Amino acid sequence: MKISTSKSEAMVLNRKKVECLLRVKEEILPQVEEFKYLGVLFTSERRMEREIDRRIGAASAVMRTLHRSVVVKRELSQKAKLSIYRSIFVPPLTYGHERWVMTERTRSRVQAAEMSFLRRVAGLSLRDRVRSSAIREELGVESLLLRVERSQMRWLGHLVRMPPGRLPGEVFRSCPSGRRPPGRPRTRWRDYVSRLAWERLGIPPDELEEVAGEREVWDSLLRLLPPRPDPG
């Protein structure tokens, strides 16, 4: 295997900045705090907020580009605008969402970005004081947060059912050894999705892998997953 030093960088996954000099022949690889891989931003602190904020920013840029020319154009039908929403706005917003660890802040920001586009499609503004759930019902659009959570739990089912030896399944089941740093531990994706299944489906963490391991049962539960209560 040949390593291209012009295309390679080094990054240490640690809360504190740690210097790590990796040398390839006579060249030292530059050390970075973040890098993109397959369109996803990874940071040395292993935080997801930066990536989620970047996704929201990408979707907002799409909306700004389309706003004057397409989204509010009266000659364009509502059906066409919704097709644009699904094909051009949603993909950059939700790319890589299966591995997100969502907080109340990120849920609120994702919903705000979603409703900003849908209100324009419906010809409304915040001053009209129409609830988000009413706008989605009128447009026939499923909540984006519901779609994200369903997809995350569907990916959980795939991980649980993976045979031994598959790398994603091995990473999911792994238990890192060693001492953790002081302070509140970061929420692992496994802990996040376990809590999500408990809150949204009522499945206790100790029964989660058994239930998710049954494909038909798991799929039927996800199809019946209700939307979260609408805060506004």
Side-chain angles (χ1 to χ4, degrees):
M1 183 179 68
K2 294 183 179 180
I3 297 177
S4 173
T5 54
S6 63
K7 299 179 181 178
S8 301
E9 298 173 329
M11 187 175 77
V12 179
L13 299 178
N14 199 302
R15 293 188 184 185
K16 297 181 179 180
K17 189 173 182 178
V18 177
E19 186 176 11
C20 178
L21 300 179
L22 294 182
R23 188 185 300 273
V24 178
K25 291 186 178 180
E26 300 302 322
E27 295 189 52
I28 297 177
L29 299 182
Q31 184 174 344
V32 297
E33 300 299 316
E34 62 183 38
F35 74 95
K36 296 178 188 175
Y37 180 68
L38 298 179
V40 177
L41 182 70
F42 294 85
T43 68
S44 59
E45 295 181 342
R46 294 170 290 177
R47 289 184 178 275
M48 291 304 307
E49 289 87 346
R50 292 283 304 280
E51 169 60 11
I52 297 175
D53 288 346
R54 200 171 69 90
R55 291 285 112 211
I56 293 171
S60 299
V62 170
M63 184 177 66
R64 287 194 298 270
T65 302
L66 297 175
H67 175 64
R68 294 188 180 279
S69 59
V70 175
V71 181
V72 296
K73 198 172 183 179
R74 294 183 179 180
E75 294 82 0
L76 203 63
S77 68
Q78 195 174 87
K79 182 178 179 180
K81 292 177 182 179
L82 288 175
S83 295
I84 293 171
Y85 165 78
R86 296 187 181 98
S87 61
I88 300 179
F89 179 80
V90 172
L93 178 57
T94 59
Y95 180 79
H97 66 271
E98 291 86 355
R99 58 182 289 274
W100 289 356
V101 174
M102 301 282 283
T103 63
E104 289 303 318
R105 173 186 173 273
T106 53
R107 287 192 183 98
S108 177
R109 293 207 63 207
V110 168
Q111 185 180 35
E114 169 200 20
M115 294 311 304
S116 181
F117 196 105
L118 293 180
R119 283 192 187 92
R120 287 170 170 80
V121 173
L124 300 170
S125 69
L126 287 172
R127 281 175 285 188
D128 294 306
R129 303 184 67 84
V130 180
R131 295 181 67 88
S132 300
S133 56
I135 295 174
R136 292 195 201 95
E137 184 178 355
E138 178 187 347
L139 298 176
V141 175
E142 182 181 66
S143 167
L144 201 56
L145 288 178
L146 176 60
R147 172 178 171 174
V148 167
E149 291 179 344
R150 184 186 292 124
S151 184
Q152 288 176 327
M153 287 192 280
R154 185 177 292 116
W155 176 236
L156 167 67
H158 293 324
L159 291 173
V160 168
R161 294 189 295 269
M162 279 185 183
R166 289 287 304 279
L167 183 59
E170 294 297 325
V171 172
F172 173 70
R173 296 184 180 91
S174 65
C175 294
S177 58
R179 297 179 60 185
R180 68 173 180 83
R184 180 180 178 181
R186 297 276 173 78
T187 301
R188 301 180 302 170
W189 185 86
R190 177 172 180 166
D191 297 331
Y192 159 76
V193 79
S194 296
R195 186 171 67 246
L196 187 64
W198 170 244
E199 293 175 353
R200 305 287 278 118
L201 297 173
I203 301 175
D206 57 345
E207 300 177 11
L208 181 58
E209 292 200 26
E210 180 182 353
V211 177
E214 299 291 336
R215 183 187 295 272
E216 293 183 1
V217 174
W218 190 243
D219 287 346
S220 64
L221 288 174
L222 296 186
R223 283 195 296 269
L224 299 174
L225 186 67
R228 286 180 177 268
D230 190 3

